[in-house]
């Protein structure tokens, strides 16, 4: 556990939230300018929210799909955007290795599997659509080709996207926290942010917490699903959650039957969102 804020503080950058958004921001800011005074404020502990409790995917998918962005900015720019997302998957692994973060990073790609005829039709349509986006490098797999990677009961086909890795999410969050502290960033845990005050009258923005007020030249709000807990922001963000199922440790004999040696992330084409 890290100590809470000890009273009023003045810094160059105040980051609200010690999840991935806040920690990655702190990491690259400190790398870009080691002289910056950076403080991260966290109401619970590092990785408390979705960052430490997610499904363990490092994916290259563009949230909401590519079509809206293509209509707005054009095909070429969205294609470059996809390539940057692809690179980001590798960057997570590169930083984990460089900083000695044992996040169990394995880049095995993503498998989308069809398990009935309706799912297969959706998968074929998705695969046809992906042909117009070679940046994603997606490949359609027959049931036999899928079986060489992982045995999925009743599988009728699959698609493999190489730009995806699996991680142990809490290990990555905690490792990033240690890395930014080595770079001179200070993390205050157990410090709830009550409100964000914009700068005015020559005074910069301020972060009001239950342990004091932080004045900063720049404030980054990296609260994601916890945004609604900050005064005045209740309607800015709708927090949602999903449920996670964890099995008992599987015996080696069962792993041999499943054949999941490549550590691919896995989902099916059902309407209910399921990912492994």
């Amino acid at each position: 556990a890290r100590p809470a804020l000890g009273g009023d503080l003045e810094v160059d950058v105040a980051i609200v939230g010690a999840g991935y958004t806040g920690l990655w921001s702190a990491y690259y800011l400190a790398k870009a300018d080691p002289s910056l005074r950076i403080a991260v404020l966290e109401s619970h502990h590092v990785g408390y929210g979705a960052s430490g409790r997610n499904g363990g995917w490092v994916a290259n998918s563009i949230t909401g799909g590519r079509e809206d962005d293509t209509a707005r900015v054009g095909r070429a720019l969205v294609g470059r955007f996809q390539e940057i997302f692809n690179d980001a998957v590798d960057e997570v692994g590169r930083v984990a290795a460089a900083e000695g973060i044992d996040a169990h990073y394995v880049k095995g790609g993503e498998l989308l599997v069809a398990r009935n005829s309706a799912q297969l039709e959706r998968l074929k349509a998705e695969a046809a659509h992906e042909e117009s986006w070679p940046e994603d490098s997606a490949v359609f797999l027959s049931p036999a080709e899928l079986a060489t990677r992982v045995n999925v009961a009743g599988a009728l086909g699959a698609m493999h996207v190489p730009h995806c890795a699996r991680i142990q999410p809490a290990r990555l969050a905690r490792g990033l926290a240690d890395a930014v502290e080595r770079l001179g960033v200070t993390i205050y845990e157990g410090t709830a942010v009550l409100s964000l005050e914009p700068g005015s009258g020559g005074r910069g923005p301020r972060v009001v917490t239950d342990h004091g007020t932080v004045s900063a030249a720049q404030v980054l709000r990296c609260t994601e699903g916890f945004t609604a807990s900050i005064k005045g922001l209740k309607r800015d963000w709708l927090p949602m959650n999903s449920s996670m199922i964890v099995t008992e440790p599987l015996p080696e004999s069962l792993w041999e039957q499943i054949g999941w040696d490549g550590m691919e992330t896995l989902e099916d084409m059902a309407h209910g969102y399921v990912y492994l």
Side-chain angles (χ1 to χ4, degrees), residues 75-227:
R75 168 67 178 79
L77 193 58
V78 178
R80 179 64 188 128
F81 192 29
Q82 183 65 76
E83 290 171 345
I84 292 170
F85 268 51
N86 298 346
D87 293 342
V89 175
D90 295 330
E91 176 72 353
V92 172
R94 187 196 69 78
V95 172
E99 299 293 344
I101 301 172
D102 182 18
H104 298 178
Y105 177 99
V106 179
K107 187 184 178 186
E110 171 187 355
L111 285 171
L112 292 85
V113 180
R115 297 186 63 242
N116 58 45
S117 59
Q119 289 188 26
L120 183 60
E121 289 304 309
R122 289 195 288 272
L123 181 65
K124 288 180 177 178
E126 180 71 14
H129 176 70
E130 284 296 294
E131 290 179 0
S132 64
W133 292 94
E135 295 90 347
D136 207 26
S137 310
V139 177
F140 188 84
L141 303 177
S142 68
E145 290 170 325
L146 171 64
T148 65
R149 292 180 175 273
V150 56
N151 289 317
V152 179
L156 301 178
M159 188 168 69
H160 181 256
V161 179
H163 306 292
C164 192
R166 75 96 203 251
I167 55 164
Q168 208 291 352
R171 284 174 172 264
L172 178 60
R174 293 182 180 188
L176 279 174
D178 292 340
V180 300
E181 287 177 324
R182 290 194 296 270
L183 293 171
V185 175
T186 305
I187 300 173
Y188 298 99
E189 295 183 328
T191 302
V193 170
L194 306 176
S195 64
L196 305 176
E197 298 182 356
S200 62
R203 187 190 70 191
R206 303 197 309 164
V207 181
V208 180
T209 82
D210 59 350
H211 284 76
T213 298
V214 179
S215 301
Q218 300 290 337
V219 174
L220 302 182
R221 175 176 60 76
C222 302
T223 45
E224 303 287 353
F226 293 91
T227 301

Side-chain angles (χ1 to χ4, degrees), residues 2 5 16 27 32 34 48 54 58 94 100 132 135 150 159 169 177 191-192 195 208 242 258 268:
R2 296 167 172 86
L5 181 67
V16 183
Y27 181 80
Y48 169 81
N54 64 62
V58 184
R94 187 196 69 78
S132 64
E135 295 90 347
V150 56
M159 188 168 69
T191 302
S195 64
V208 180
S242 57
I258 295 171
D268 67 9

Side-chain angles (χ1 to χ4, degrees), residues 12-96:
D12 297 308
V13 182
I15 297 175
V16 183
Y20 290 149
T21 308
L23 293 172
W24 281 118
S25 298
Y27 181 80
Y28 288 109
L29 281 170
K31 283 284 192 179
D33 186 351
S35 70
L36 286 175
R37 297 169 299 164
I38 303 171
V40 181
L41 306 167
E42 168 58 45
S43 60
H44 295 280
H45 57 76
V46 163
Y48 169 81
S51 294
R53 293 182 273 164
N54 64 62
W57 287 46
V58 184
N60 74 331
S61 55
I62 297 176
T63 302
R66 310 181 189 99
E67 279 59 45
D68 287 346
D69 287 335
T70 299
R72 184 168 54 87
V73 301
R75 168 67 178 79
L77 193 58
V78 178
R80 179 64 188 128
F81 192 29
Q82 183 65 76
E83 290 171 345
I84 292 170
F85 268 51
N86 298 346
D87 293 342
V89 175
D90 295 330
E91 176 72 353
V92 172
R94 187 196 69 78
V95 172

